[in-house]
Amino acid sequence: MIYLAQVICFDLLRLPPEERYEATKVLEEALENLISNELPLNIAFTSYTLEYLAENRRRILNIIKTSPPDILEILSTIPPEFQFLPLYGLRKVISLNKAKIRQLCEISPEGLYISASSITPSLVSALKREEYSYLVVHENAVNPSFKPFKIENTVGDSINAIGLNENLSLYIKLYLDDKILLNTMIDSSKELSGRAEDCSLLMYVLRETSWRGLSKILHVAKSLVENIGKLITLKDYLFIVPSSREKSIWAAENHADFPAELLLSIWNQVEFMETLLDLAERLGGSRTIVFKARSLVEEAVQILCNIDVYRDEVFVNQVNEILLKLDTAKRYLVSSLA
């Protein structure tokens, strides 16, 4: 039996500003069609996307809030560049995203969508501390294992994980792009599933950069259900198997062009400021001034959690704003103890 689930990963920050509104229109139509036809799917949102929807396309949030839980599963996700942050930064980003989903969708997400190359011990620890119960891992198709597994961190904590294999979902994408016929896609999927586990999970992962493909999802989902088998959501498919998967905290070779060290440095500064704030309070610093300093640090964290890592000019401006807030907060703390 092949199990089908769909994941739509939506990070509007990755899209050019002129495409974001049109993409949400297509997403809204796809959601309405899928849900009205009782075709389950899973959507992974970043906090920036949720804030954008709240301001520009709130009807999508209303659709999500009124959807049956067995039809729609909301996952959290974070930009790939954030997944190598230290534990403190990861917890802040993950916590903010979970709070945003809870606030705007009235759902508390249990799972996080992530690429397999970005798994780190710090990420597993952050998820455990923020009470996530599983990971949805997008695996590379070069050497697929295609089965759920348990990921462990360096201190022995573990979290359930589901592997999304690109080999099977590749045929759905080819069909979406009108490059193969439906029967060809079905036969190829059956052949691949025969070399996997007895119960396989056939995934189609639609990224935000392919949002135009949403218009075909309904037809594809119906065809697959009729021709392949049962459609389920991810949370109903959690098995645990042994795993030797280990990742180092700083395995950022794939992000060599991204100023990862600068981002890491800023998060370390934020963590240092949090320590100074606690120290100033214990030393009897002015409550009013300490409160102002803490507010500035929280504002800096908000910017960091949604920082635009895809456009250099915007990124530099946001970094400057963050550093200014941290520097001002530091001067406030000094004056609070005078």
Side-chain angles (χ1 to χ4, degrees):
M1 176 66 73
I2 296 177
Y3 291 88
L4 169 68
Q6 298 171 93
V7 170
I8 301 174
C9 179
F10 243 68
D11 179 7
L12 289 174
L13 195 61
R14 284 182 175 268
L15 294 179
E18 63 272 13
E19 289 189 19
R20 293 172 190 172
Y21 188 75
E22 186 65 26
T24 61
K25 288 172 60 178
V26 177
L27 176 63
E28 180 181 319
E29 181 181 355
L31 282 178
E32 285 186 317
N33 286 333
L34 289 164
I35 292 169
S36 64
N37 285 276
E38 298 184 347
L39 295 172
L41 75 155
N42 306 269
I43 304 182
F45 285 131
T46 61
S47 57
Y48 173 84
T49 300
L50 290 170
E51 291 172 355
Y52 183 93
L53 294 177
E55 294 179 4
N56 300 282
R57 184 67 66 172
R58 197 163 188 96
R59 190 163 185 275
I60 291 180
L61 300 179
N62 293 333
I63 292 172
I64 291 172
K65 286 189 286 188
T66 56
S67 299
D70 58 338
I71 297 295
L72 183 65
E73 178 83 356
I74 301 297
L75 302 170
S76 177
T77 189
I78 56 179
E81 292 81 1
F82 285 15
Q83 293 160 8
F84 296 100
L85 292 176
L87 179 58
Y88 176 84
L90 279 170
R91 287 196 64 187
K92 285 287 187 180
V93 174
I94 291 171
S95 176
L96 174 67
N97 202 28
K98 190 169 190 175
K100 282 288 181 185
I101 294 175
R102 190 163 47 235
Q103 173 194 351
L104 298 175
C105 302
E106 299 180 1
I107 296 171
S108 186
E110 298 178 11
L112 181 84
Y113 171 84
I114 191 178
S115 63
S117 61
S118 301
I119 298 171
T120 68
S122 289
L123 179 69
V124 177
S125 296
L127 290 172
K128 293 288 288 186
R129 296 188 189 189
E130 297 303 323
E131 298 182 344
Y132 278 80
S133 59
Y134 65 93
L135 276 168
V136 179
V137 182
H138 191 180
E139 296 185 84
N140 190 295
V142 176
N143 185 24
S145 59
F146 196 70
K147 58 184 177 180
F149 47 86
K150 178 185 284 189
I151 296 176
E152 296 184 356
N153 65 11
T154 52
V155 294
D157 289 334
S158 61
I159 190 164
N160 296 339
I162 303 168
L164 311 187
N165 179 267
E166 292 181 6
N167 277 352
L168 289 179
S169 54
L170 169 65
Y171 289 95
I172 303 181
K173 177 147 186 5
L174 290 173
Y175 175 67
L176 281 171
D177 295 337
D178 295 321
K179 294 180 179 178
I180 60 173
L181 298 174
L182 176 62
N183 289 339
T184 304
M185 185 269 291
I186 292 172
D187 291 342
S188 301
S189 300
K190 286 181 177 179
E191 180 183 354
L192 281 171
S193 68
R195 297 200 300 266
E197 301 296 303
D198 292 337
C199 292
S200 299
L201 183 64
L202 176 59
M203 298 298 308
Y204 175 60
V205 180
L206 180 72
R207 297 182 178 277
E208 67 288 328
T209 50
S210 305
W211 57 268
R212 291 177 180 85
L214 278 168
S215 59
K216 295 184 180 180
I217 277 188
L218 181 64
H219 172 65
V220 173
K222 284 182 176 179
S223 299
L224 288 170
V225 171
E226 292 169 0
N227 292 281
I228 293 183
K230 186 180 178 183
L231 187 80
I232 61 170
T233 51
L234 293 176
K235 65 180 180 179
D236 298 321
Y237 188 74
L238 289 174
F239 300 95
I240 301 174
V241 297
S243 171
S244 60
R245 183 184 297 267
E246 290 185 1
K247 297 283 182 177
S248 62
I249 290 180
W250 195 247
E253 295 86 355
N254 294 332
H255 305 290
D257 296 330
F258 175 73
E261 292 187 10
L262 175 59
L263 192 59
L264 179 64
S265 172
I266 295 172
W267 274 108
N268 286 334
Q269 289 185 52
V270 170
E271 187 171 7
F272 177 67
M273 284 302 302
E274 292 279 2
T275 302
L276 289 182
L277 285 166
D278 293 340
L279 180 60
E281 286 183 345
R282 289 201 300 271
L283 293 176
S286 168
R287 290 186 178 181
T288 302
I289 298 178
V290 172
F291 176 79
K292 289 181 179 179
R294 190 175 293 280
S295 297
L296 284 169
V297 174
E298 290 175 355
E299 290 172 10
V301 169
Q302 289 283 335
I303 298 171
L304 263 174
C305 288
N306 289 311
I307 197 166
D308 190 339
V309 295
Y310 309 115
R311 280 171 279 278
D312 292 343
E313 184 177 351
V314 178
F315 176 75
V316 170
N317 290 336
Q318 289 177 322
V319 167
N320 287 334
E321 185 179 357
I322 292 166
L323 294 178
L324 177 61
K325 289 181 182 295
L326 294 179
D327 184 63
T328 304
K330 191 181 299 182
R331 285 188 274 111
Y332 273 153
L333 286 181
V334 173
S335 64
S336 75
L337 298 172

